[in-house]
Amino acid sequence: MRIPLYELCDRQPILSGVRAGRQAFAQMAARAIPPVSEETAYLDFAGIQVATGSFLRESVMAFRDYARSTLPNLYPVVANPSEAVTEELDFLLRHRKDALWSCRLGAGGEVTDGTILGELETGHRIAFDLVARLRTASAPDLAAQGDASIGPTAWNNRLAFLASRGLLMERRAGKSKIFTPVLETL
C-alpha cells in the first residue's frame, strides 16, 4: 500500500501545523484498508520538501500508532523523505525515544535504503539487531543466541515492543510468535 502525502495534502511541498497533520492523519486512516496478511503501508513523502515536527507528530506518528493498535497486519514505513523531513522526523523520534522505518521506494515499488530513524533503548536495539541478523526469530531463539542471563520472557517483551512500533512483523506459529524485520537493513 502506497499513501502519497503530496497528493493527500493538496500538492503542498511544505507541511506544517497540528491541524494539517490531523487532516492528513484522517485521510491516511480512511485509505488504510485492513489487510488479511502482513502488509507495509508506505507513507510516500515524494514531492514534500519540509514537514514540521507538529505535522509529523499528528500525521505520521498518529497513523503509525493507529495502525499498530487497530490494524495489526499493517506496518507503516516512511518512504522517500527529503533530507529536511528525515532530519525533523529523526529529531522528533529521538525526543520521544521512539523509532520508525524509513526507505527509498521506486516507482515500481522496489525498496532500497531501509533504515531506522530515531532511537531504541539498548535492550530493544540488541533484540532488533539479533532478529535482523537471523532474519526470523522467536523469543526462545533469541534466548539461545543472546545473553544467557536474559530469559525467553524478557526477549518476548522486547520483541513485542518492537512489533508495537512497527519495526518487526509478528506472526503466529502454533503457540509461538515469530518475528521478522519489516524491511531489510542495508
Side-chain angles (χ1 to χ4, degrees), residues 38 68 75 160 163 168-172 177-180:
E38 295 83 11
R68 297 306 308 132
Y75 295 87
L168 296 178
M169 287 186 180
E170 178 181 349
R171 295 183 184 100
R172 282 238 170 251
K177 291 180 184 177
I178 304 296
F179 297 86
T180 57

Side-chain angles (χ1 to χ4, degrees), residues 17-30:
V18 170
R19 184 173 180 204
R22 288 180 181 164
Q23 288 173 339
F25 164 74
Q27 291 183 34
M28 288 188 280

Side-chain angles (χ1 to χ4, degrees), residues 47-167:
I48 306 297
Q49 295 171 4
V50 175
T52 64
S54 58
F55 177 87
L56 294 167
R57 182 185 67 241
E58 297 298 325
S59 60
V60 173
M61 301 308 300
F63 181 73
R64 190 274 314 261
D65 294 345
Y66 164 78
R68 297 306 308 132
S69 65
T70 61
L71 304 167
N73 287 329
L74 194 63
Y75 295 87
V77 171
V78 171
N80 302 318
S82 68
E83 187 176 328
V85 170
T86 299
E87 182 179 306
E88 191 70 23
L89 185 55
D90 188 58
F91 178 81
L92 174 66
L93 289 162
R94 287 179 186 283
H95 179 73
R96 294 171 52 138
K97 296 194 184 324
D98 202 348
L100 185 68
W101 277 107
S102 176
C103 71
R104 294 277 156 224
L105 185 64
E110 57 280 353
V111 175
T112 58
D113 301 329
T115 189
I116 293 179
L117 299 178
E119 179 179 338
L120 289 172
E121 179 268 330
T122 303
H124 294 135
R125 187 69 202 189
I126 291 168
F128 178 82
D129 289 345
L130 275 170
V131 174
R133 184 170 52 89
L134 297 170
R135 300 203 186 265
T136 298
S138 65
D141 293 336
L142 296 187
Q145 291 279 323
D147 185 339
S149 68
I150 303 171
T153 301
W155 284 114
N156 189 61
N157 291 341
R158 291 174 181 185
L159 292 168
F161 173 85
L162 294 167
S164 75
R165 294 294 181 259
L167 302 174

